[in-house]
Amino acid sequence: MLELKRSLDAKGHCLLEMPTGTGKTIALLSLITSYVLSKPHNPVKLLYCTRTVHEMEKTLAELKLLHTYQTTHLGDRAKILAVGLSSRKNLCVNPRVLAAENRDSVDASCRRLTASWVRAAAAANPNVPTCEFFEEYEKAGSSAVLPPGVYTLQDLRVYGKEKGWCPYFLARHMVQFANVVVYSYQYLLDPKVAGIISKEMQRESVVVFDEAHNIDNVCIEALSVSVRRQTLEGARRNLNKMRQEIEKFKATDAGRLRAEYNRLVEGLAQRGNLSISDTWLSNPALPDDILKEAVPGNIRRAEHFLHVLRRLVQYLEGRLETDNVEKEGPVAFVSSLNTYAGIDQKTLKFCYDRLHSLMLTLEITDTDEFLHVQTICDFATLVGTYTRGFSIIIEPFDERMPHIPDPVLQLSCHDASLAIKPVFDRFQSVVITSGTLSPIDLYPRLLNFHPVVSRSFKMSLTRDCICPMVLTRGSDQLPVSTKFDMRSDLGVVRNYGRLLVEMASIVPDGIVCFFVSYSYMDGIVNSWNDNGILKEIMQHKLVFIETQDVVETTLALDNYRKACDCGRGAIFFSVARGKVAEGIDFDRHYGRLVIMFGVPFQYTLSKILLARLEYLRDTFQIKEGDFLTFDALRQAAQCVGRVIRSKADYGMMIFADKRYSRHDKRSKLPGWILSHLRDAHLNLSTDMALHIAREFLRKMAQPYDKAGSSSSKTLLSQEDVEKMSDANLNEMLY
Amino acid sequence: MNNGDKRRVNGEAEEDDEEEEGNEDLEAWERAYADERSWEALQEDESGLLRPIDNNTLYHAQYRRRIRSLSSLATTARIQKGLIRYLCIVVDLSKAAAEMDYRPSRMVVVAKHVEAFIREFFDQNPLSQLALVTIKDGVAHCLTDLGGSPESHVKALMGKLECSGESSLQNALDLVHGYLNQIPSYGHREVLILYSALSTCDPGDIMETIQKCKKSKIRCSVIGLSAEIFICKHLCQETGGSYSVALDEGHFKELILEHAPPPPAIAEFAIANLIKMGFPQRAAESSIAICSCHKEAKVGGGYTCPRCKARVCELPMECRICGLTLISSPHLARSYHHLFPIVPFDEVSTSLLNDPHNRLPRSCFGCQQSLLNPGNKPSLRVACPKCKQHFCLDCDIYIHESLHNCPGCESFRHSKAAIASEE
């Protein structure tokens, strides 16, 4: 907290690593809100970014508790307005819209009911359906405000239903006035969305990225586009449809197209006169001059623009026809595009804006159908805008299945700092925090910023409630590893199997296993099945497996929990970097032990990864090996960190690979794991690990006092804190 | 360590001088295998030296803590205790009980301590009855019915000591529920589960069974032998029992014996009502009668029920003929101390001990042993808060655990009574 205050004072950015379950969220929230309260003349806004909707809800619930505390102790002065913002899918209360199954179609069906021309049509003809919630909200106009308080998404929906106002638009409106806004990363990082939502945020804001260990990947994904054959075909269909529309308009309403043309001549910056439900974009990631520039002449007319797009699609199709892997930079790509298709860089840059302007003009509401052509325009804009940090990779087939032609053209971003740069530039402090940010000096380099503070905190525990172990050998003393040359070795497979069987027999309730990849998991489970190991495991516990199918996995997880609850015991097989490893907690009895089989390196032969590594080496002087290890270890730490979510909890972690005992790997684990990793636990074989596990479980089952004994106090009372601050004061004086 | 062992006095003693424990009958490594694990009695101090753990003070400190926690409950309000207990001991004999982490196996260790527990239980709760249930092959069996004879329980347990198959908590609970549901409302229904396995294979929804037990006010306690299991914890929380996991054999013994003194009565459950009891007379030595419990003629001994005049062999028990609860008055008296425990003694502070002006008694009031250490330094001692007499640590434990009377207070009251009568 001290560090956080320091960085707030310095108006700089900071990087904090805090173990999970130590009250990270509440510490951040309480300090920042109190900080805001202490400076009433200078209102600071808090933007809290979470990764998932679930975390958003949790954060808001905690904030609610905090808010009740603050208001009871500080009175009305402490009243704040906090809202959560999410997509229409999570906020909509209109049953007709909610019937749509995915996010894009919810968006589209909402737009179908609320777009300005639809409402205009409805005013003339009452049979045109509109959304009654939005109508109510519009009628209330600027008087539609939320009273101060903390609103979770659920609260917003309830409030919206009560008042008959659309919660989504209400929340979007209130974001400008709220003191605390909780939303997901995309609203700040993705240039396409960020423009609409976040452009009104003032400079004096504190931005918090929670669970930000993967922030570089999020940044990169936000700026990467991949184009497949289906995309191109879809785009072609879309273009045809748009041409028909244009023809229709030409016949009926030529004036509208002309108006658009004139507007484009004046420049995109003046587009601000559209109402909020219609605005699409202003792009903070694009250089400012684009917004001021007029749209180039060759795409101002709708039909010309369509021709350009058609040529672009044709060109891309031609490129996809290749038989071997190709890789080139954006500059080379654009110049070849210019030669073959006659589209220059400037035209490309404007594709995205131009498309949306056109779609507005054509009054297209079912945006979900036009996703393909949007992808193409995204691609064009990115290629046209950036000259560095990207590369275009064309792969004719998937590496793993070379017989099936599945050409992919990927525009991949290598530089995470591009997407996050506007955030760092615009806001006075950015706090990046997570349970696993080690090694902490790598993040500033990856994201290209200079933190005022970067610290890694340790957990103070009443007892040693985590027990990390590095298992290097099987019970027959042969090394175990998932290294490429060893992973299919029968001995290794058997040793891993024995480890699991033995552990299943001594660990109660739930065990979680993480494998390095789906294919490896499939392989090893198959061979366990062949030599009967799986059957032995099943005698002790039920086995559940994560698959790539989300529904199936959710079902498996549910049943896994049930099996743990009723005392049968269960094992969950999962994959590092999978959905389970990222977002699901295995706290308390749901995970008493987590085994990480192998080191989860990325697929090193992937062209995209190679290109990124090369870029990192050239630009940031980060060695390939270093980055790979860093990435693998943060995944591993993320996986094992799933088991412990609070101090009262306990769990064991086994890193089953001989490579973990090497110093360069081990030292990259986060501090709170390392501090519990004793030297004696570094080089274990299966039977030694078993012994340690038995002892540990017995010790942890003993009752303990929560406040901690006098020697290792973890729960500080007010006097203790005062004493501490006195001591600090004395130190400073003398 | 085993200081009572005969010391060797031959020349070898000098060679072994460095190792203190080396000069005993058995070599240290031999002893280690013979009885307990000697290395566990050693600990490392700050400078890395090995030294034996000071068991005596440690043990006493533990005991003090326990008694304090008990008394903190007891003194604040006079707690009603369930003196008439109906306890089912469930012994898990699934294949996990064959594991060898307790020597020679979990099963044998459990049986040994259950035996000790049964005797202790009847010693402390003469009015209570217990039954034995085992889990084997996923099914629960009743080993003995509810009864008051320690011998028959112990015999039944020792005769059936083999293990196999899975274990099922639900089956055991269902069986026990069937037994305990019938007993009269003044009795306290308890289950003590000694659980070796780490999972339970149940035929149905165990949560329902737990709720059923909760509804019939059966207090379920579990002692685990290997690790904490969620379902056991849940069961204990729901039914108000205690859950503990044994660290080693000694700890297991402690844990199981903690269940011997009667638990505080559940408030909603403690409806005070009168219970009809008979105090049978011991039959004459030479009389011959057919005893109602074994259905055979016996010479001498035995008791006669005051209502139906039937002969029974042991007390306490329920009369087979008329169903009257038969006990003897010493049984009742022995249960008495649970209701009025003696207050824990206060530790005499060291500053007071080291004060030369303060004249303190030199010997323990209980055993008359000197309270001074060999170096003429005063050792730890305790004092009764009522009569202010000093006791040594051994007497402290003895008075609280076995005697249940403070010698100081008793003699003081006696002398006062004597003076009163003289006048």
Side-chain angles (χ1 to χ4, degrees), chain B residues 193-410:
Chain B
I193 303 170
L194 308 172
Y195 209 63
S196 302
L198 279 175
S199 62
T200 156
C201 262
D202 297 324
D205 185 5
I206 189 163
M207 297 298 171
E208 272 173 31
T209 315
I210 293 177
Q211 288 310 318
K212 209 164 72 182
C213 290
K214 193 184 175 188
K215 216 180 272 169
S216 353
K217 303 209 173 63
I218 298 175
R219 182 178 187 268
C220 305
S221 301
V222 182
I223 299 178
L225 281 100
S226 43
E228 185 184 84
I229 310 163
F230 171 76
I231 193 72
C232 297
K233 200 173 182 182
H234 180 72
L235 169 70
C236 297
Q237 264 170 5
E238 285 290 304
T239 58
S242 69
Y243 181 49
S244 45
V245 175
L247 286 173
D248 49 35
E249 195 180 330
H251 190 224
F252 177 70
K253 186 178 165 191
E254 244 172 65
L255 289 176
I256 194 170
L257 289 183
E258 258 172 34
H259 288 275
I266 310 166
E268 53 190 308
F269 193 58
I271 331 137
N273 53 0
L274 296 173
I275 306 161
K276 209 175 258 180
M277 280 185 183
F279 295 89
Q281 259 186 339
R282 195 174 167 84
E285 279 304 315
S286 57
S287 68
I288 302 172
I290 294 175
C291 101
S292 66
C293 31
H294 298 92
K295 316 236 171 2
E296 55 190 35
K298 282 205 171 160
V299 183
Y303 302 87
T304 320
C305 170
R307 191 152 73 183
C308 61
K309 305 289 182 229
R311 177 72 77 93
V312 293
C313 289
E314 281 169 332
L315 291 183
M317 76 178 320
E318 224 162 77
C319 174
R320 292 285 166 115
I321 310 295
C322 62
L324 187 68
T325 313
L326 303 177
I327 58 162
S328 69
S329 50
H331 286 148
L332 263 190
R334 279 228 302 273
S335 304
Y336 181 74
H337 73 262
H338 292 303
L339 299 178
F340 306 100
I342 44 172
V343 278
F345 292 169
D346 301 326
E347 215 159 302
V348 180
S349 67
T350 43
S351 60
L352 203 67
L353 284 177
N354 293 329
D355 188 2
H357 304 294
N358 214 337
R359 301 205 123 261
L360 293 168
R362 281 163 176 250
S363 57
C364 165
F365 188 81
C367 56
Q368 304 300 327
Q369 298 269 350
S370 168
L371 277 174
L372 297 177
N373 269 350
N376 218 13
K377 274 197 173 166
S379 63
L380 275 179
R381 56 174 77 181
V382 289
C384 170
K386 273 189 190 150
C387 63
K388 309 281 185 247
Q389 295 296 347
H390 286 212
F391 295 94
C392 66
L393 302 186
D394 288 337
C395 284
D396 180 20
I397 296 174
Y398 176 68
I399 289 168
H400 280 96
E401 310 257 283
S402 319
L403 198 59
H404 303 297
N405 282 312
C406 168
C409 301
E410 291 297 322

Side-chain angles (χ1 to χ4, degrees), chain A residues 489-668:
Chain A
D489 185 350
L490 268 182
V492 174
V493 169
R494 195 186 55 238
N495 269 333
Y496 275 148
R498 295 310 315 170
L499 167 70
L500 193 56
V501 171
E502 301 283 341
M503 281 297 166
S505 68
I506 64 156
V507 177
D509 301 328
I511 296 181
V512 191
C513 301
F514 287 102
F515 296 89
V516 287
S517 66
Y518 282 110
S519 59
Y520 182 63
M521 181 168 79
D522 287 350
I524 201 165
V525 171
N526 264 336
S527 51
W528 282 350
N529 190 23
D530 290 344
N531 52 25
I533 288 177
L534 205 59
K535 209 178 243 170
E536 275 185 69
I537 297 174
M538 298 276 258
Q539 281 182 351
H540 297 288
K541 292 187 190 300
L542 305 179
V543 176
F544 297 94
I545 300 182
E546 177 188 6
T547 59
Q548 267 142 325
D549 184 353
V550 181
V551 183
E552 219 169 54
T553 306
T554 320
L555 200 68
L557 263 177
D558 269 358
N559 284 324
Y560 169 79
R561 295 230 166 86
K562 225 178 269 169
C564 290
D565 274 337
C566 77
R568 182 64 185 84
I571 295 184
F572 197 84
F573 287 169
S574 175
V575 173
R577 297 167 198 280
K579 178 174 171 289
V580 172
E582 274 301 316
I584 313 284
D585 288 349
F586 292 97
D587 54 343
R588 298 178 298 128
H589 61 285
Y590 297 127
R592 284 297 181 214
L593 167 71
V594 53
I595 306 178
M596 179 77 234
F597 290 107
V599 186
F601 281 116
Q602 283 187 49
Y603 180 59
T604 38
L605 294 180
S606 138
K607 294 289 170 309
I608 300 173
L609 181 64
L610 287 179
R612 185 170 177 207
L613 286 175
E614 202 174 300
Y615 180 81
L616 286 176
R617 194 191 53 210
D618 295 345
T619 333
F620 298 122
Q621 286 80 46
I622 298 170
K623 267 189 252 157
E624 286 106 325
D626 276 356
F627 179 78
L628 282 177
T629 324
F630 149 76
D631 187 67
L633 267 292
R634 82 171 159 190
Q635 290 303 333
Q638 186 59 26
C639 293
V640 299
R642 298 284 100 203
V643 290
I644 180 138
R645 305 315 280 180
S646 82
K647 285 182 186 179
D649 197 5
Y650 64 89
M652 291 184 294
M653 307 158 176
I654 295 182
F655 298 95
D657 195 306
K658 68 166 186 190
R659 285 173 290 176
Y660 283 111
S661 68
R662 278 174 36 196
H663 183 261
D664 63 322
K665 303 271 188 306
R666 197 168 16 104
S667 58
K668 291 196 170 65

Side-chain angles (χ1 to χ4, degrees), chain A residues 228-245:
Chain A
R228 286 172 188 275
R229 197 168 267 166
Q230 297 95 301
T231 324
L232 292 175
E233 280 161 14
R236 213 166 256 277
R237 272 199 310 277
N238 292 346
L239 288 177
N240 282 336
K241 197 160 175 208
M242 280 162 88
R243 202 194 53 214
Q244 287 164 10
E245 290 281 322

Side-chain angles (χ1 to χ4, degrees), chain A residues 469 503 506 652 689-698:
Chain A
M469 290 182 256
M503 281 297 166
I506 64 156
M652 291 184 294
L690 276 181
H691 182 73
I692 294 170
R694 261 201 205 111
E695 294 288 306
F696 175 77
L697 287 170
R698 289 224 168 93

Side-chain angles (χ1 to χ4, degrees), chain B residues 59 63 93 95 103 118 129 143 164 181 199 204 214 283-284 294 302 306 322 350 390 394 398:
Chain B
Y59 180 67
Y63 152 78
L93 291 180
K95 65 176 182 289
R103 305 280 165 194
I118 290 175
Q129 298 190 7
L143 215 55
S164 63
N181 217 12
S199 62
K214 193 184 175 188
H294 298 92
C322 62
T350 43
H390 286 212
D394 288 337
Y398 176 68

